[in-house]
Amino acid sequence: MYASAFGLQQAPFSIAPDPRYLFMSERHREALAHLLYGLGASGGFVLLTGEIGTGKTTVCRCFLEQMPEHCQVAYVYNPKQSAIELLRTINDEFGVPHAPAAPGSAETIKDCIDPLNAFLLASHAAGRNTVLVIDEAQNLSIDVLEQLRLLTNLETTERKLLQIVLIGQPELRELLARPELEQLAQRVVARFHLDALSLPEVEAYVSHRLAVAGWSGALPFDRRVLARIHQLTGGVPRRINLLCDRALLGAYSAGVRSVDRRMLGRAALEVFGAMPQRAARPAGQRMLRAGATVVAVAGLACAAAFAVWTNRPHAVAAASPAAAAAAPAIEAVPTSAAGVPEPAATAAAPDAATAPPASDFRLAAVLPGLAGSEDTALRELAGAWDAGLPPAAVNCNTLAARDLRCFRASRAGLDLLHQLDRPAVLTLHFSVGSSRRQAYVLLRGLDARGVILELDGQPRSVTAAELARWWRGELLTLWRASAKDSTTLDARLAQALPDLPAAMPRAERISRFQLAHGLPPDGMAGPLTAMRLNRASGVQEPRLQGN
């Protein structure tokens, strides 16, 4: 109702799972890291718990989208079944035929387990891993959980044949702590409890959703109101959506573009039925973090893939023979004892760009031929900016004379690439034998699969999961500065936020702009803020395809 009145493309706080509004906090990334880490274990259980509305389903969908091609997965969303019913459901999800041993007789547990075991053995022989994901697992009964434990007894001499992921509310942890389930608890190879958002994350979450919906100008919530939103909702995303949606409706009814504390209080009474006094849990109550290696896995592994989540088939085909044959020649450089490359973070879904489809494209096939220097890649990048310098003279110092500045990041992600919206040089790490090498490739665009890279002079679409194997988050890009930047900053702020009073201190206006664009509100016009200001005020700079 209020969306069109505020110039929005749609309501920004709908509770529908629209992938364009993806917001992955640090804890969401850590949760995903644990799920991905569990895939590398030799079977057993992986456990993810969290309060209602904290984003467990978001993480689960991201996890499903990031399944390697050699994995096949069954997803059970309604586990309130008997043991035999759940076994039938599992077989049906994997496409395993099952029937009573004798015609006309009732189907038994053995009738379901025998064909499932044969299926798992055949999958293992074909080099495929099999994963069972059960959502709302707190609804599982004791006898069903025991039956699931017995399924993990299906194994070869090398490994267990079935990996089981349990996702549920905090009651699931209490359930697994019961003495009769001690054997199952001992088979949990990774576990994580998903906490609510912190106050800075609530601020970023709200500004992110408004920006995606098309909000322009100052945010409708000032810092005091955002702090109250955090207090009233406890940092739970679903509660934030409900409260902010009703508060904006109240602002629309009152004929204003901002929400004050009184208006927010009325919205809370309408949505929650009472004035909640919840506070976000202190950091000390959170589950212990995994090591830095595990956290790093979550970065790009979630990347743009969840942002383009679709209802993919449950069974994923194994990698093509051609790709498998090419893989041993080159390997990603491991960054930990686990040999896992260090990737980057998430992205909202951009529009598709024009590039040849490459569903089976593997960077391993071309990386050895791309090894070169960063200076060469920078010269290619500068070409997009028409810097007017001879190739031999292109470097960050000479570009500064053309009012161009270099910007580097060592832990970037696809979300930052989407936010910067400009070509960039990405550093890819790989090894050939015992030799570790680097390749510098030019990012040309973002598409529904991940990124568009310029490889051998041709644009190629590369999935986020494929890029994650080689990219640690290192990037180099350019932005246009002005010799009179100190005098034009106020003008650009006024253009980007026309509703703010001119008398407002510059630092406060910068903070408002940063909040509106999902940046840390430090009140300082650093490179990231300057780049976003350039984009918002119409400064001509190269843009990514499809963004």
Side-chain angles (χ1 to χ4, degrees):
M1 180 182 296
Y2 62 79
S4 58
F6 289 151
L8 300 175
Q9 299 170 2
Q10 60 187 142
F13 295 104
S14 168
I15 60 174
D18 189 333
R20 292 176 300 169
Y21 290 89
L22 169 71
F23 180 87
M24 291 286 286
S25 71
E26 178 185 350
R27 281 175 290 285
H28 288 89
R29 295 186 182 117
E30 290 184 45
L32 177 66
H34 281 71
L35 295 182
L36 293 172
Y37 172 77
L39 279 184
S42 57
F45 289 88
V46 178
L47 185 65
L48 172 63
T49 57
E51 298 286 352
I52 297 172
T54 50
K56 298 185 300 296
T57 300
T58 295
V59 173
C60 178
R61 286 177 171 175
C62 181
F63 174 65
L64 291 173
E65 185 62 34
Q66 288 309 298
M67 284 286 180
E69 291 187 349
H70 65 276
C71 288
Q72 50 197 359
V73 58
Y75 178 73
V76 177
Y77 60 88
N78 178 24
K80 205 164 187 178
Q81 306 175 43
S82 66
I84 183 63
E85 290 171 338
L86 184 61
L87 287 172
R88 289 173 185 149
T89 300
I90 293 170
N91 281 357
D92 290 341
E93 288 292 310
F94 282 127
V96 178
H98 56 95
S105 63
E107 193 172 35
T108 66
I109 287 179
K110 185 176 186 302
D111 294 333
C112 291
I113 289 183
D114 286 349
L116 178 60
N117 189 35
F119 166 76
L120 294 174
L121 286 169
S123 297
H124 174 73
R128 295 192 296 270
N129 291 348
T130 307
V131 182
L132 170 63
V133 180
I134 300 180
D135 206 352
E136 301 294 344
Q138 75 278 355
N139 292 321
L140 292 167
S141 63
I142 297 291
D143 62 319
V144 172
L145 282 167
E146 176 61 16
Q147 183 59 63
L148 288 174
R149 182 189 69 82
L150 294 175
L151 286 183
T152 63
N153 286 338
L154 303 176
E155 58 188 357
T156 67
T157 56
E158 302 171 349
R159 59 175 295 140
K160 294 185 180 297
L161 300 178
L162 182 64
Q163 182 89 60
I164 300 177
V165 178
L166 300 179
I167 299 174
Q169 296 170 23
E171 295 86 348
L172 178 59
R173 291 190 300 173
E174 301 171 8
L175 184 61
L176 297 185
R178 296 177 62 164
E180 57 266 44
L181 291 175
E182 181 179 355
Q183 292 187 70
L184 189 153
Q186 291 177 357
R187 300 190 184 193
V188 176
V189 296
R191 64 178 73 208
F192 188 84
H193 184 74
L194 188 60
D195 284 318
L197 302 178
S198 64
L199 176 55
E201 288 170 337
V202 168
E203 294 175 348
Y205 176 81
V206 170
S207 63
H208 167 75
R209 294 192 70 101
L210 285 166
V212 172
W215 185 277
S216 61
L219 285 180
F221 310 102
D222 63 25
R223 286 186 173 179
R224 292 182 61 207
V225 172
L226 286 169
R228 185 61 173 154
I229 290 172
H230 177 245
Q231 181 185 27
L232 291 172
T233 63
V236 176
R238 188 179 301 163
R239 294 172 64 88
I240 294 171
N241 287 353
L242 292 171
L243 179 59
C244 290
D245 183 73
R246 187 59 59 92
L248 286 178
L249 180 60
Y252 164 73
S253 300
V256 297
R257 281 180 59 90
S258 62
V259 175
D260 58 25
R261 285 174 62 91
R262 178 177 297 181
M263 195 178 297
L264 186 71
R266 288 198 301 267
L269 287 172
E270 294 173 5
V271 172
F272 303 132
M275 184 64 73
Q277 297 295 332
R278 299 183 56 178
R281 298 177 180 176
Q285 293 182 5
R286 297 171 188 155
M287 299 292 288
L288 293 176
R289 306 290 191 232
T293 299
V294 177
V295 175
V297 177
L300 186 59
C302 187
F306 173 74
V308 296
W309 163 259
T310 55
N311 294 321
R312 66 185 295 176
H314 291 308
V316 183
S320 66
I330 176 174
E331 298 177 348
V333 173
T335 60
S336 71
V340 180
E342 188 174 345
T346 64
D351 295 330
T354 301
S359 59
D360 293 321
F361 181 76
R362 295 292 180 266
L363 283 169
V366 298
L367 279 180
L370 298 176
S373 69
E374 187 183 66
D375 289 346
T376 302
L378 178 60
R379 287 196 288 271
E380 295 177 4
L381 176 63
W385 292 77
D386 193 21
L389 288 170
V394 173
N395 56 56
C396 288
N397 291 331
T398 56
L399 288 172
R402 298 294 195 272
D403 290 338
L404 292 175
R405 301 289 187 268
C406 290
F407 173 78
R408 295 181 183 274
S410 59
R411 291 293 184 270
L414 289 188
D415 55 341
L416 181 60
L417 298 181
H418 176 69
Q419 189 178 56
L420 295 179
D421 189 20
R422 63 196 59 230
V425 175
L426 307 184
T427 304
L428 308 184
H429 295 260
F430 64 98
S431 64
V432 178
S434 60
S435 175
R436 296 192 175 188
R437 302 180 186 179
Q438 295 176 334
Y440 302 89
V441 298
L442 192 61
L443 171 74
R444 287 296 190 185
L446 298 170
D447 65 7
R449 293 179 53 77
V451 300
I452 299 173
L453 303 178
E454 185 172 305
L455 303 173
D456 293 329
Q458 299 295 325
R460 297 301 300 262
S461 178
V462 177
T463 65
E466 172 66 9
L467 184 63
R469 296 182 58 202
W470 317 100
W471 186 48
R472 300 179 184 176
E474 297 164 273
L475 72 83
L476 167 64
T477 190
L478 300 174
W479 59 284
R480 194 176 300 284
S482 169
K484 301 178 181 179
D485 192 68
S486 60
T487 59
T488 59
L489 178 60
D490 290 331
R492 285 187 290 158
L493 283 169
Q495 186 175 355
L497 300 173
D499 296 333
L500 294 184
M504 180 179 289
R506 178 188 290 174
E508 179 63 18
R509 281 181 290 150
I510 292 175
S511 294
R512 294 290 188 91
F513 176 85
Q514 289 167 330
L515 275 174
H517 291 270
L519 298 172
D522 59 9
M524 302 179 65
L528 289 176
T529 300
M531 284 185 265
R532 294 295 288 175
L533 262 176
N534 283 356
R535 181 178 180 181
S537 57
V539 175
Q540 294 300 310
E541 295 178 318
R543 301 292 184 218
L544 291 176
Q545 301 175 37
N547 202 23

